[in-house]
């Protein structure tokens, strides 16, 4: 792929940026009475209003031209066709196959993977029904009341986010909890009030060797065996999401209760696979398949909608616009929906693990910024936290505001108030309040400088009807394909994560030194001193 700066479309955008960088949203709206409805798009049940972004219609046209020049259409098609677009690992990228209908064929090396996907979905559905109906019982014959998912990264963030989001659809008789952090307090807190006889653990680890996950799994096994009195209890209280049959069996789990997924599914894209088993138990197989249908809705929109009307493309290219032209390094995701409290955390991994890269597909250092820093909190909570910086701080932060027209909670006035806040914040960020306006309102002159809000802060509103399983699937896929779009433009591999490995390698070395009471290993002076201090406090030094 040619260098990004060599494209005429890139140079055209740089010239355009110089012409529009100082434009004010107030002026853009005054000059175009139709802007608020013209700069919108719809697809897969969502309405995207990007009119409060610092763009003109020409900006969007030029951004779409750049996406075409960078080969977005061909690379998108290659992903859906099973090509090995994860170049550093030589793998296809087929999370889209997880939600493909059984009538679609997606082949990897001549093998259609869609029947494999549906076979695992069938296995998951049968097991989830047994747990939900009480026919799967623990070692002592008691019904399962709590499911604990043990995993980390994509084996935890997606399921946890979705279980919270879809709680109105969940079976109240079964609690679902998550343990990721290797801090022993995380597992202790998750099990403190539980009866082992009524607890099921789902251990999610592709290789069944992930240190954090297996440390927690072994401690959970000890807790279970201590409570039930026999190693044989493990088979009734543990199942695995893995590909390593031998390790699963060695742990004490019946391989018949191992749910597989594939190396062409990245962890952060794996919610629709067996990694979502805890979610399926919570909401049931039918609702889980509704979520998969929502994913597919957005997949088809991404595949078929013109770029200028394509929601993931528009969002992805707006991120490029702010990241590479305005020099804005962060993006806030602000869900105005209680159920989406963990969406920002989920998107932190999706975006920053995917596009936090410093070399291109050819291994050459990039000369431009790649993935933005993504962060956020639920909207109304955040208004009383960090919105002060959004409105009056010296940093400009593009914001996604996600909301729904209907709530599952039938409390008079609440949803109206919630959405009034979403709309008001977007308006305030865009247009602010000038010194002249404050003076007209009678604000004391001494206070005016402190109360001015400059406005011109960009927001994108993502509006759905209600937070249902289908809507959640479409929303996740919207962000997945937005991240993909950005990665294609930057010419990077969005599907590897080698930067995660170095810390793990060093942690294993330090762990062996700590357990051996070793001082003075091959580390820098700071790390050696910290290891020594830790050993001394723990009484582990010789």
């Amino acid at each position: 792929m040619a260098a990004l700066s060599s494209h005429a479309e890139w140079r055209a955008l740089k010239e355009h940026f110089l012409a529009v960088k100082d434009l004010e949203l107030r002026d853009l709206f005054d000059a175009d009475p139709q802007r608020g409805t013209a700069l919108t798009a719809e697809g897969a049940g969502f309405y995207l209003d990007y009119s409060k972004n610092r763009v003109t219609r020409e900006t969007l046209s030029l951004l779409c031209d750049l996406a075409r020049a960078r080969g977005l259409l061909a690379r998108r098609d290659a992903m859906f066709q099973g090509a090995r677009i994860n170049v550093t690992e030589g793998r296809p990228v087929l999370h889209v196959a997880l939600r493909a209908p059984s009538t679609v064929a997606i082949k990897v090396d001549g093998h259609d993977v869609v029947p494999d996907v549906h076979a695992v979905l069938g296995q998951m559905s049968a097991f989830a029904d047994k747990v939900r109906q009480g026919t799967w019982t623990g070692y002592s014959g008691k019904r399962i009341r709590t499911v604990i998912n043990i995993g980390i990264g994509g084996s935890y963030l997606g399921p946890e986010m979705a279980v919270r989001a879809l709680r109105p659809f969940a079976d109240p008789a079964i609690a679902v909890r998550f343990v990721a952090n290797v801090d022993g307090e995380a597992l202790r807190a998750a099990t403190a009030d539980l009866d082992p006889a009524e607890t099921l653990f789902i251990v999610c680890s592709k290789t069944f060797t992930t240190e954090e996950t297996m440390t927690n799994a072994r401690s959970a096994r000890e807790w279970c065996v201590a409570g039930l009195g026999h190693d044989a209890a493990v088979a009734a209280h543990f199942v695995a999401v893995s590909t390593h049959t031998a390790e699963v069996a060695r742990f004490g789990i019946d391989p018949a209760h191992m749910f597989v997924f594939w190396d062409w599914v990245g962890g952060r894209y794996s919610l629709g696979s067996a990694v979502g088993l805890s979610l399926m138990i919570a909401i049931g197989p039918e609702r889980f398949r509704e979520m998969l249908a929502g994913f597919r809705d957005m997949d088809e929109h991404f595949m078929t909608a013109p770029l200028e009307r394509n929601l993931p493309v528009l969002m992805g290219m707006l991120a490029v616009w702010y990241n590479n032209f305005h020099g804005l390094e962060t993006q806030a995701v602000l869900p105005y929906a209680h159920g989406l409290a963990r969406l920002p955390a989920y998107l932190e991994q999706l975006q920053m693990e995917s596009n936090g890269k410093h070399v291109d597909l050819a291994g050459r250092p990039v000369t431009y910024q790649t993935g933005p820093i993504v962060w956020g909190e639920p909207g109304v909570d955040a208004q009383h936290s960090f919105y002060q910086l959004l409105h009056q701080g010296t940093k400009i932060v593009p914001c996604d505001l996600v909301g729904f027209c209907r709530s599952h909670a039938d409390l008079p006035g609440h949803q109206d108030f919630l959405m009034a806040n979403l709309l008001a914040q977007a308006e305030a960020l865009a247009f602010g309040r000038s010194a002249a306006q404050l003076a007209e309102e009678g604000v004391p002159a001494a206070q005016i400088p402190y109360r001015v809000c400059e406005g011109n802060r960009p927001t994108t509103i993502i509006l759905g009807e209600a937070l249902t399983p289908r809507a959640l699937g479409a929303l996740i896929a919207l962000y997945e394909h937005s991240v993909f779009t950005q990665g294609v433009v930057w010419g990077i591999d969005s599907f590897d994560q080698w930067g995660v490995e170095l810390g793990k390698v060093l942690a294993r070395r330090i762990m062996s030194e700590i357990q051996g009471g070793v001082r003075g290993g091959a580390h820098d002076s700071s790390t050696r001193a910290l290891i020594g201090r830790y050993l001394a406090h723990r009484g582990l030094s010789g």
Side-chain angles (χ1 to χ4, degrees):
M1 180 182 286
L4 183 55
S5 60
S6 69
H7 286 278
E9 291 82 2
W10 179 263
R11 294 193 298 272
L13 269 165
K14 291 186 73 172
E15 293 176 7
H16 173 73
F17 171 72
L18 294 175
V20 302
K21 65 184 179 68
D22 295 324
L23 290 178
E24 295 281 335
L25 285 169
R26 295 185 194 93
D27 298 332
L28 290 171
F29 272 84
D30 288 343
D32 182 359
Q34 305 305 315
R35 181 181 174 91
T37 53
L39 272 63
T40 64
E42 294 187 64
F46 281 95
Y47 179 83
L48 185 75
D49 180 349
Y50 58 94
S51 64
K52 294 185 179 72
N53 280 278
R54 291 165 66 169
V55 296
T56 66
R57 301 187 198 210
E58 183 184 4
T59 311
L60 270 297
S61 178
L62 290 171
L63 286 168
C64 290
D65 288 345
L66 177 63
R68 290 187 186 92
R70 294 295 282 173
L72 175 62
L73 301 178
R75 195 158 175 81
R76 175 196 66 188
D77 293 347
M79 176 174 68
F80 277 85
Q81 292 165 5
R84 297 180 183 275
I85 65 170
N86 179 348
V87 297
T88 72
E89 297 177 292
R91 294 175 178 172
V93 175
L94 277 179
H95 47 279
V96 294
L98 300 174
R99 52 264 198 160
S102 59
T103 53
V104 170
I106 301 176
K107 295 185 177 181
V108 175
D109 297 331
H111 174 71
D112 185 2
V113 302
V114 175
D116 299 340
V117 168
H118 284 269
V120 173
L121 280 172
Q123 180 195 15
M124 292 167 61
S125 297
F127 179 76
D129 280 338
K130 288 180 182 177
V131 175
R132 289 166 61 84
Q133 294 165 7
T135 58
W136 175 283
T137 57
Y139 183 66
S140 62
K142 288 188 175 181
R143 181 172 183 159
I144 298 299
R145 300 292 182 186
T146 304
V147 174
I148 298 181
N149 183 102
I150 298 178
I152 199 162
S155 296
Y156 138 74
L157 284 166
E160 187 202 35
M161 179 273 292
V163 165
R164 289 194 183 196
L166 301 179
R167 189 162 289 158
F169 301 90
D171 182 349
I174 302 175
V176 179
R177 300 180 181 181
F178 295 86
V179 175
N181 199 322
V182 75
D183 184 338
E185 180 59 22
L187 183 63
R188 189 210 64 78
T191 58
D193 58 344
L194 299 182
D195 179 355
E198 298 177 339
T199 305
L200 174 71
F201 292 92
I202 302 173
V203 183
C204 292
S205 173
K206 187 175 290 186
T207 62
F208 235 60
T209 58
T210 309
E211 287 99 337
E212 299 91 342
T213 297
M214 297 316 299
T215 297
N216 280 325
R218 286 189 290 270
S219 294
R221 187 187 192 282
E222 292 172 4
W223 176 82
C224 180
V225 170
L228 296 173
H230 204 288
D231 283 346
V234 173
H237 291 272
F238 284 80
V239 300
V241 177
S242 181
T243 60
H244 204 313
T245 305
E247 289 294 331
V248 167
R250 190 173 295 117
F251 187 89
I253 296 173
D254 185 342
H257 303 139
M258 183 181 86
F259 302 84
V260 302
F261 61 120
W262 305 270
D263 65 5
W264 39 258
V265 180
R268 55 193 175 276
Y269 297 93
S270 64
L271 176 60
S273 73
V275 168
L277 180 60
S278 56
L279 173 64
M280 183 183 279
I281 292 172
I283 66 173
E286 183 179 351
R287 296 293 193 185
F288 191 89
R289 289 176 186 271
E290 289 175 12
M291 182 188 71
L292 295 180
F295 273 106
R296 183 66 182 180
D297 291 341
M298 190 59 74
D299 290 347
E300 292 179 349
H301 172 79
F302 181 53
M303 281 288 290
T304 60
L307 298 193
E308 292 79 4
R309 309 291 298 168
N310 194 302
L311 274 62
V313 173
L314 291 168
M315 286 179 58
M317 295 312 295
L318 285 169
V320 170
W321 175 242
Y322 291 123
N323 193 61
N324 296 102
F325 295 91
H326 285 269
L328 306 180
E329 296 186 344
T330 80
Q331 174 188 356
V333 178
L334 309 166
Y336 280 73
H338 176 72
L340 291 180
R342 291 290 284 166
L343 179 66
Y346 174 77
L347 295 178
E348 287 166 9
Q349 184 197 23
L350 178 65
Q351 175 68 275
M352 293 191 283
E353 195 167 82
S354 294
N355 287 343
K357 308 294 169 60
H358 71 288
V359 297
D360 66 15
L361 290 165
R364 301 168 300 199
V366 299
T367 58
Y368 43 84
Q369 289 289 313
T370 57
I373 299 165
V374 174
W375 57 283
E377 286 288 334
V380 170
D381 298 352
Q383 289 173 198
H384 294 266
S385 175
F386 54 76
Y387 272 43
Q388 169 64 38
L389 183 147
L390 297 183
H391 285 288
Q392 290 188 315
T394 57
K395 297 173 177 62
I396 306 296
V397 181
C399 299
D400 289 355
L401 282 68
V402 184
F404 297 90
C405 298
R406 292 192 296 107
S407 169
H408 299 289
D410 187 20
L411 296 176
H414 280 247
Q415 191 65 13
D416 293 344
F417 188 40
L418 179 68
M419 290 304 295
N421 273 271
L422 182 158
L423 298 173
Q425 291 297 330
E427 186 175 37
L429 286 164
F431 306 114
R433 182 156 294 177
S434 67
Q437 288 174 308
L438 290 165
E440 288 178 7
E441 293 169 7
V443 173
Q447 289 186 2
I448 286 176
Y450 306 99
R451 295 178 64 170
V452 167
C453 291
E454 295 175 344
N456 216 31
R457 313 289 171 115
T459 62
T460 300
I461 295 176
I462 303 164
L463 186 63
E465 182 181 347
L467 182 52
T468 64
R470 192 160 193 151
L472 181 65
L475 181 64
I476 296 170
L478 170 61
Y479 277 101
E480 287 178 347
H481 298 318
S482 168
V483 168
F484 175 84
T485 297
Q486 295 166 50
V488 171
V489 171
W490 292 322
I492 58 178
D493 190 337
S494 298
F495 303 102
D496 62 13
Q497 56 276 339
W498 297 108
V500 177
E501 300 302 317
L502 177 58
K504 292 183 177 182
V505 172
L506 295 176
R508 285 193 289 270
R509 183 193 304 171
I510 293 171
M511 179 70 170
S512 66
E513 294 171 1
I514 288 173
Q515 291 182 330
V518 174
R519 292 177 180 267
H523 304 286
D524 62 272
S525 60
S526 168
T527 303
R528 287 197 302 271
L530 289 165
I531 291 172
R533 191 174 185 86
Y534 176 76
L535 288 170
H537 277 284
R538 294 277 289 163
L540 298 173
S541 54

